[in-house]
């Protein structure tokens, strides 16, 4: 019997594996940095737009925030996020609200200027909220979408001192110079403003 090499016991193997793993256990988790920026709205998930699709700013110091502009995506939630992440598209909004459950994604920091209104002056002074759906398909305007969006809008209005009324919470179609019709005739403004004020 050759005893030149000692046999590897299970105990020796586990001891070696534990010693090998110790340095890695002391390192920070690389996934901890997966969300490089904290969201402005605590209930939102960070889904960054391409930096080619918005203007870096320091609002409200650089520009006052006076409006919330309501949009409808004319796309699915997932496709809207993909569009905002595509540097060729030159479009973004601060937030996107999903139809089925009202889940909110933040794509642009509120301090920055999202390219959503089609009017530079309004872009500089507003927060844009996109809602998953189509203007001619009211089934997309679910209770969850209205309720979660209203909570988001109420929080934005409170944060920036924006009155919670139709003079300051606008549809995209109300922005001067726009050719858009969203959120369209199926959007229930009376209900929405009521929800914003009771949020």
């Amino acid at each position: 019997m050759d005893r030149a090499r000692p046999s590897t016991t299970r105990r020796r193997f586990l001891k070696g594996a534990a010693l090998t793993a110790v340095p890695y256990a002391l390192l920070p988790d690389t996934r901890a940095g997966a969300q490089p920026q904290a969201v402005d709205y605590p209930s939102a998930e960070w889904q960054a737009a391409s930096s080619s699709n918005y203007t870096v700013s320091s609002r409200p110091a650089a520009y006052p925030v006076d409006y919330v502009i309501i949009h409808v995506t004319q796309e699915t939630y997932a496709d809207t996020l993909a569009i905002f992440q595509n540097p060729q598209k030159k479009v973004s909004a601060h937030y996107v609200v999903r139809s089925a459950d009202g889940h909110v994604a933040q794509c642009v920091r509120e301090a920055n200027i999202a390219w959503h209104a089609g009017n530079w002056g309004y872009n500089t002074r507003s927060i844009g909220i996109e809602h998953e759906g189509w203007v001619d398909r009211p089934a997309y305007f679910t209770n969850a979408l209205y309720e979660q969006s209203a909570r988001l809008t109420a929080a934005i209005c409170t944060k920036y001192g924006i009155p919670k009324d139709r003079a300051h919470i606008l549809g995209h179609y109300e922005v001067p110079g726009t050719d858009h019709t969203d959120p369209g005739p199926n959007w229930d403004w009376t209900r929405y403003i009521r929800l914003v004020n009771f949020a």
Side-chain angles (χ1 to χ4, degrees), residues 6 12-13 19 23 32 49 59 71 89 106 124 133 139 147 154 163 169 181:
R12 193 174 290 170
F13 176 77
L19 290 173
R59 301 183 317 161
H71 302 266
K89 294 296 185 178
Q106 182 171 5
T124 62
E147 290 164 8
I169 302 170
T181 62

Side-chain angles (χ1 to χ4, degrees), residues 19-44:
L19 290 173
T20 304
V22 167
Y24 296 102
L26 299 176
L27 292 174
D29 185 355
T30 55
R31 291 172 296 172
Q35 281 196 348
Q37 300 183 44
V39 292
D40 294 305
Y41 180 64
S43 299

